[in-house]
Amino acid sequence: MNTKKTTVLIIFLLFSIMSFSQDYYSIIGRISDFKSQEALRGVNLFIPEINLKISTDNYGFYSIKLPKGEYTLKISSIGYYVITKKINLYKDTELDFNLSKGEEALFEIVVKNVIQNKTLSPGITELDISTIKKIPAILGEVDILKSLLLLPGVTNAGEGSAGFNVRGGGADQNLILLDESPVFNPSHAFGFFSVFNPDVIKDMKLYKSGIPPNFGGRIASILDINQKSGNNKTVNFQGGLGLITSRLLIEGPLVKNKISFLIGGRSSYAHLFLKLFEEQKNNTIYFYDLNAKINYKINLSNNLFVSGYFGRDVFKLNNSFSNEYGNTILNLKWNHLYSKKSNSNLSFSYSDYFYNLNLHFISVNWDSNITNYAFKYAFKNQFSSKFKLNYGIESNYYLFNPGTLRYIEKTTDQLDRKYALENAVFINAENEILKKATFSYGLRLSSFNRLGPSEINLYENNSPVIYNKESGVYEKATPIETQYYSNKKNIKSYNNFEPRLSISFHINDKTSLNTSYNRTAQYLQLISNTSSPTPLDVWTPSDTYIKPQIADQISLGYSKNFKNNNYSLQVDTYYKKVKNRLDYIDGADLIANKAIEQVLLNGQMRSYGLEVLLKKNEGKFNGWISYTLSKSEQQTVGRTTEETGINNGEWYNSAYDKPHNLAITASYDISKRWTFGTNFVYQTGQATTFPRGQYKYLDIPAPIYGLRNKDRLPNYHHLDFSATLKSAKKKDRNWKGEWVFSIYNVYNRKNAASINFRQNNDTGNNEAVRTSIFGFVPAVTYNFKFQ
């Protein structure tokens, strides 16, 4: 062999042996909050020597594999001090970190600044509970759902309305998860308050776009809410007393550093004051919730979580009418670390929403509910610092009871119970293909089966709605026969491919461009023709006549931090199109309807807009300004050339269309004890339909309506203030308290909840009457912590 070739070969072999024999070691650990010991998800870890960036998972765990050597590890998260630690890596190492806020001190900490903002994928927003608690709220009641209304692209139907609307979608198009369990009705007191006790909540993340494949079932957004896990070191108490509710939370270790617990309760007490008045002593109105969680750290590789929620609203009027409704949720999760690069999360959950209406004066009792049993097994593998793979399976079984009616004769009328099974498999890859570009791409394959037992109406031409050519209106069709499906018999099946793609391009360390595409499918529909969900609304599955909603959305975003990260700017634009959006024929009756398909039509929906978010992140004064310019429309065309469709087949404003949405929120720490906060919210008035005139039929006046949702309520806006006074600090004092003084709607704006038309009894003229819920509302709340 040629000597030169032999030398080259030996050198090549030596380099190969050296490269393969290079020692690699792992750094693994958990990152928690310094005080509460709560695991922190989404914490950024950065190693500048090799330009490596990773983040913790939902349970605060991280894992890094590196060659032997010396490194600098920088750790940062929203609202926490940055810590920098030098590491000499020569063996597998376990490093846990506790991040601190404010004046809390940490060992081996280098204070750079407090991170208030981080760039996420387009359309994804995280809110820390400490930020939410600074926002002025109605009657002093901190509400995490109402705080969402300060974000771009998020609105609602106004004061006292339930749920929220994302990018022109309906409230039923949002999947709300509490510890990965679905919440079917998120409201107390008919929408005035949410079911989420702020003391129990750790954090939440809202996906408006860029929805990863492990989420599905809704087409507008995913709101992922996590409860605290409980302090595993010390017992803590915290709570509050307000004008409407009182709260108490207890957390601590059952076995120190091993098993922790959390129990939280909240209740309103306005009904207690009703007893003081003779004419009101038979009336009552109140709500309550109970949250509980146990976290068992079996070892570094295994964690077990058991959590639950139970809540009820009760309303009674003079022993003639009573109403009760609420959610019950139970969740079991097992998190397992297979290796330094692989882990899994297995969960079983039960969720039930129950509604009862009892009309004592006519002896009628109505019960309805939706029950969900869910199973999910998700895996995460980190093959390298530049490639991650997530995949798993999910199954949901649903039981729908649209209504059980019991009468004075002790007879029972049962609306047809419905059953369904929804399954999915999903996979997603995160890949840093280029030095400055990160790709997240995946697929969700979902299937849905409407199951028996059930008796299905059959119609001529398979059409439960017919069109009357003479009157030009849609009417109910008469079934020609029925078909019975036995237990577990498949009635109707649907399958959908749901591709997801997100791309982030980092122009530099402060500027990035993001784009995403996602297709989502929704198989559950909320039967409601109101702009805001009510406790009375009923969920129903897709079937032969009701098709699943399919949404396609594209989004493009720009993010920039400037002035040493003191400020950040995010701009997002989007376009979304929805197939099979339910529409209702004129005069549709929805309550206790045994053949709901007779009043429904399948239409389509589209929305598009521009969102801007400017934030002040650091210092004593911080906050943000958000603005959304958008359009949301719906269309239901005729099924034949002879039919007019809804609204003459033309596009019309959806009930959630609010072209202009401006929100300003700010807080200022004037001293160590005093903090001031303010909000200003402005939204275009809600789309509605006013009568254009009237006619008389048998001397009874009847209104004449024009095109659907052509009119609007007056524009909605209000200004709020709050002031928080913290108790003076004393060295050996374990009790911490604060007073929160707030004013909702400072200038007493009478925002219209509705406008009704009537005839004036004195003049005989027609007049419009505005109904408003809140004017100027002052409140005071006392919050406390003890350990």
Side-chain angles (χ1 to χ4, degrees):
M1 182 181 288
N2 185 288
T3 305
K4 186 180 287 187
K5 289 184 178 179
T6 303
T7 305
V8 171
L9 180 60
I10 292 172
I11 293 173
F12 175 76
L13 290 172
L14 285 173
F15 272 103
S16 299
I17 292 169
M18 289 172 63
S19 63
F20 278 105
S21 62
Q22 187 175 14
D23 294 329
Y24 276 79
Y25 298 105
S26 294
I27 309 171
I28 62 173
R30 184 174 183 265
I31 300 180
S32 308
D33 181 273
F34 178 73
K35 278 193 171 181
S36 69
Q37 291 301 301
E38 287 289 332
L40 297 176
R41 67 173 177 176
V43 176
N44 293 318
L45 295 95
F46 177 59
I47 299 176
E49 289 85 354
I50 56 174
N51 196 33
L52 174 64
K53 297 178 182 178
I54 66 168
S55 59
T56 58
D57 65 14
N58 284 347
Y59 305 94
F61 289 108
Y62 73 93
S63 175
I64 312 171
K65 194 168 186 177
L66 301 169
K68 179 181 178 181
E70 294 185 355
Y71 299 95
T72 304
L73 183 60
K74 294 184 178 182
I75 303 171
S76 62
S77 185
I78 298 174
Y80 291 88
Y81 282 126
V82 176
I83 56 179
T84 301
K85 184 175 177 63
K86 296 288 186 180
I87 300 172
N88 183 12
L89 187 63
Y90 61 92
K91 64 177 181 178
D92 287 341
T93 304
E94 181 181 340
L95 281 176
D96 293 339
F97 293 94
N98 291 322
L99 299 189
S100 64
K101 298 178 181 179
E103 299 173 356
E104 298 164 8
L106 286 180
F107 299 106
E108 298 181 280
I109 193 169
V110 178
V111 178
K112 295 283 188 181
N113 58 309
V114 179
I115 303 296
Q116 295 290 350
N117 176 73
K118 66 178 178 181
T119 301
L120 300 169
S121 299
I124 302 176
T125 304
E126 285 190 40
L127 275 182
D128 181 78
I129 194 65
S130 60
T131 301
I132 295 172
K133 287 186 174 182
K134 292 181 179 181
I135 298 173
I138 299 175
L139 293 167
E141 296 295 323
V142 174
D143 193 322
I144 67 171
L145 291 191
K146 296 294 189 287
S147 69
L148 295 176
L149 304 179
L150 299 172
L151 299 175
V154 184
T155 62
N156 70 353
E159 292 165 337
S161 61
F164 55 96
N165 308 113
V166 174
R167 291 185 169 177
D172 61 305
Q173 295 175 337
N174 305 314
L175 177 61
I176 301 175
L177 298 172
L178 179 64
D179 282 346
E180 300 185 15
S181 299
V183 180
F184 291 105
N185 187 335
S187 299
H188 278 311
F190 304 101
F192 287 102
F193 309 103
S194 80
V195 300
F196 304 109
N197 181 346
D199 291 341
V200 177
I201 302 305
K202 179 175 70 174
D203 57 27
M204 65 178 181
K205 182 183 286 189
L206 177 67
Y207 297 84
K208 297 181 291 185
S209 60
I211 300 173
N214 57 301
F215 292 120
R218 300 293 187 276
I219 62 172
S221 75
I222 308 293
L223 180 60
D224 188 20
I225 303 171
N226 286 295
Q227 295 187 109
K228 296 176 180 176
S229 298
N231 194 312
N232 61 11
K233 294 187 181 299
T234 60
V235 176
N236 295 321
F237 298 82
Q238 74 176 83
L241 298 171
L243 297 180
I244 301 297
T245 69
S246 59
R247 315 178 311 276
L248 180 63
L249 171 69
I250 305 173
E251 58 177 330
L254 293 174
V255 178
K256 195 169 184 179
N257 297 322
K258 195 78 172 176
I259 305 176
S260 62
F261 75 93
L262 174 148
I263 299 176
R266 178 178 61 160
S267 178
S268 65
Y269 37 72
H271 63 289
L272 299 178
F273 297 100
L274 293 178
K275 306 298 181 183
L276 301 176
F277 304 94
E278 183 65 27
E279 65 276 12
Q280 299 291 340
K281 67 179 183 179
N282 292 324
N283 299 336
T284 187
I285 178 170
Y286 64 92
F287 66 83
Y288 62 90
D289 351 76
L290 178 65
N291 300 74
K293 192 168 186 177
I294 294 177
N295 176 15
Y296 178 25
K297 185 178 181 181
I298 302 171
N299 51 45
L300 184 62
S301 299
N302 294 278
N303 274 265
L304 193 65
F305 304 86
V306 181
S307 62
Y309 168 86
F310 182 81
R312 282 293 184 267
D313 280 72
V314 179
F315 177 54
K316 294 180 181 179
L317 181 62
N318 289 327
N319 296 320
S320 61
F321 166 89
S322 65
N323 184 207
E324 182 177 345
Y325 63 91
N327 298 280
T328 303
I329 296 172
L330 182 64
N331 182 274
L332 171 65
K333 289 189 294 185
W334 171 47
N335 181 257
H336 177 64
L337 187 68
Y338 290 98
S339 68
K340 299 174 179 65
K341 290 188 175 183
S342 177
N343 67 76
S344 68
N345 182 47
L346 174 65
S347 66
F348 298 90
S349 69
Y350 165 86
S351 180
D352 178 82
Y353 173 68
F354 166 80
Y355 180 85
N356 168 262
L357 178 64
N358 200 327
L359 304 175
H360 301 285
F361 62 95
I362 56 173
S363 298
V364 174
N365 184 81
W366 180 27
D367 291 333
S368 68
N369 70 293
I370 176 174
T371 304
N372 166 255
Y373 301 90
F375 158 81
K376 190 172 185 178
Y377 205 4
F379 299 84
K380 294 183 179 181
N381 293 88
Q382 182 176 332
F383 292 96
S384 70
S385 61
K386 296 183 178 181
F387 184 74
K388 299 176 185 177
L389 191 66
N390 304 328
Y391 53 93
I393 58 175
E394 182 178 359
S395 183
N396 288 271
Y397 180 75
Y398 298 98
L399 187 156
F400 305 82
N401 176 19
T404 303
L405 288 88
R406 298 179 180 87
Y407 304 99
I408 190 172
E409 303 88 357
K410 296 186 178 179
T411 59
T412 300
D413 190 4
Q414 176 64 58
L415 276 67
D416 191 31
R417 294 180 186 270
K418 301 175 182 179
Y419 307 86
L421 180 66
E422 181 179 354
N423 297 311
V425 294
F426 55 86
I427 186 169
N428 189 69
E430 295 180 29
N431 197 358
E432 187 179 328
I433 298 177
L434 304 173
K435 188 174 181 181
K436 292 188 175 183
T438 302
F439 291 75
S440 177
Y441 48 94
L443 176 69
R444 182 181 180 91
L445 174 60
S446 61
S447 67
F448 188 84
N449 299 87
R450 169 81 157 85
L451 304 174
S454 185
E455 191 170 33
I456 303 298
N457 291 326
L458 301 180
Y459 300 89
E460 186 176 351
N461 299 322
N462 203 34
S463 180
V465 179
I466 59 175
Y467 182 72
N468 189 320
K469 298 178 184 178
E470 295 181 0
S471 60
V473 298
Y474 287 95
E475 298 175 346
K476 298 178 181 179
T478 302
I480 54 176
E481 60 176 309
T482 61
Q483 182 174 350
Y484 180 76
Y485 291 84
S486 59
N487 189 35
K488 307 302 180 185
K489 185 74 173 178
N490 187 59
I491 299 172
K492 182 66 177 179
S493 298
Y494 292 97
N495 298 286
N496 280 289
F497 286 93
E498 304 175 41
R500 316 284 173 87
L501 172 66
S502 295
I503 303 173
S504 296
F505 181 75
H506 301 279
I507 299 172
N508 52 49
D509 60 349
K510 297 183 182 298
T511 308
S512 65
L513 292 174
N514 304 285
T515 186
S516 74
Y517 164 77
N518 53 253
R519 167 170 284 191
T520 47
Q522 178 170 335
Y523 300 100
L524 272 59
Q525 322 298 339
L526 187 65
I527 304 302
S528 171
N529 57 3
T530 61
S531 58
S532 173
T534 70
L536 194 60
D537 296 334
V538 173
W539 290 89
T540 193
S542 296
D543 57 20
T544 305
Y545 307 111
I546 301 175
K547 298 178 181 180
Q549 298 181 71
I550 308 295
D552 291 282
Q553 180 178 211
I554 56 173
S555 177
L556 177 66
Y558 170 84
S559 302
K560 183 176 181 62
N561 294 337
F562 49 95
K563 296 269 187 189
N564 294 322
N565 291 327
N566 283 330
Y567 297 88
S568 61
L569 174 67
Q570 288 186 329
V571 181
D572 287 316
T573 183
Y574 66 91
Y575 179 85
K576 178 169 60 178
K577 193 166 185 178
V578 179
K579 295 191 298 185
N580 303 325
R581 178 59 175 168
L582 287 184
D583 212 337
Y584 302 90
I585 67 173
D586 292 332
D589 54 321
L590 305 182
I591 299 176
N593 191 331
K594 293 184 178 181
I596 196 65
E597 71 274 4
Q598 295 177 355
V599 296
L600 302 177
L601 292 171
N602 286 305
Q604 62 178 337
M605 194 174 185
R606 68 184 180 190
S607 59
Y608 46 90
L610 175 71
E611 301 171 351
V612 180
L613 178 65
L614 177 64
K615 297 184 69 175
K616 169 71 166 59
N617 300 317
E618 300 176 13
K620 293 183 177 181
F621 176 79
N622 54 67
W624 66 82
I625 300 173
S626 74
Y627 173 72
T628 306
L629 176 65
S630 64
K631 192 65 183 173
S632 175
E633 298 175 302
Q634 196 162 334
Q635 182 188 46
T636 304
V637 299
R639 297 166 296 182
T640 67
T641 55
E642 296 177 338
E643 295 184 9
T644 60
I646 301 297
N647 204 61
N648 296 325
E650 298 176 3
W651 287 99
Y652 64 91
N653 296 326
S654 76
Y656 328 108
D657 177 54
K658 295 197 172 184
H660 299 282
N661 178 21
L662 172 69
I664 303 172
T665 184
S667 65
Y668 180 61
D669 298 324
I670 195 170
S671 68
K672 291 182 178 180
R673 295 187 62 194
W674 279 101
T675 299
F676 292 90
T678 185
N679 293 334
F680 175 74
V681 175
Y682 175 92
Q683 295 178 7
T684 303
Q686 181 185 328
T688 188
T689 307
F690 293 148
R692 290 286 180 266
Q694 69 176 30
Y695 66 94
K696 285 191 175 183
Y697 179 73
L698 299 178
D699 289 331
I700 300 175
I704 300 173
Y705 291 95
L707 296 177
R708 188 175 289 192
N709 286 353
K710 194 73 173 176
D711 306 295
R712 291 189 180 275
L713 296 179
N715 293 333
Y716 171 89
H717 53 88
H718 59 83
L719 176 68
D720 317 317
F721 283 120
S722 70
T724 302
L725 174 62
K726 298 178 182 178
S727 57
K729 284 194 172 183
K730 295 184 180 179
K731 253 193 172 181
D732 298 322
R733 186 176 180 181
N734 293 325
W735 182 279
K736 294 181 180 179
E738 65 178 23
W739 289 95
V740 181
F741 308 93
S742 63
I743 300 176
Y744 178 83
N745 199 359
V746 172
Y747 51 81
N748 198 31
R749 165 73 175 177
K750 299 294 185 181
N751 286 303
S754 65
I755 291 181
N756 299 305
F757 294 84
R758 68 184 183 189
Q759 189 176 51
N760 187 292
N761 292 329
D762 297 326
T763 65
N765 296 327
N766 292 330
E767 60 183 9
V769 180
R770 175 190 300 205
T771 301
S772 300
I773 298 176
F774 290 115
F776 176 90
V777 183
V780 60
T781 303
Y782 179 73
N783 300 317
F784 62 87
K785 292 183 180 180
F786 176 78
Q787 65 178 43

